[in-house]
């Protein structure tokens, strides 16, 4: 997040955000088991699935909100 310059967004200010090391370890374990897709965490899995059900306009609004800087 810091390298991409998005560390200050609402998404990365959340206390539940996983570290890069946690996500990488999860992905590596999934790869070792032959899985082609790894989604780290239950909430992320639900979020990924919900994108199939929500209208794209709503998804764009949510993405804009979580990727914006927090209000002071």
């Amino acid at each position: 997040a810091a390298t991409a310059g998005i560390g200050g967004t609402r998404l990365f200010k959340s206390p539940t955000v996983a570290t890069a090391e946690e996500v990488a370890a999860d992905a590596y374990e999934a790869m070792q088991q032959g899985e082609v897709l790894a989604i780290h965490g239950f909430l992320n899995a639900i979020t990924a699935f919900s994108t199939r059900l929500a209208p794209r306009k709503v998804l764009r609004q949510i993405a804009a909100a979580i990727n914006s800087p927090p209000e002071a």
Side-chain angles (χ1 to χ4, degrees):
T3 302
I6 57 173
T9 62
R10 294 174 193 209
L11 176 63
F12 289 100
K13 292 295 182 182
S14 170
T16 61
V17 152
T19 66
E21 291 80 12
E22 292 170 331
V23 175
D26 190 44
Y28 182 76
E29 183 179 327
M31 181 188 71
Q32 292 294 336
Q33 295 175 1
E35 297 178 29
V36 295
L37 177 65
I39 299 175
H40 181 77
F42 180 71
L43 186 57
N44 285 336
I46 290 174
T47 303
F49 178 76
S50 70
T51 62
R52 297 172 185 220
L53 306 175
R56 290 187 180 175
K57 181 178 180 179
V58 172
L59 295 174
R60 285 192 303 269
Q61 292 169 339
I62 292 169
I66 64 173
N67 287 298
S68 66
E71 295 178 11

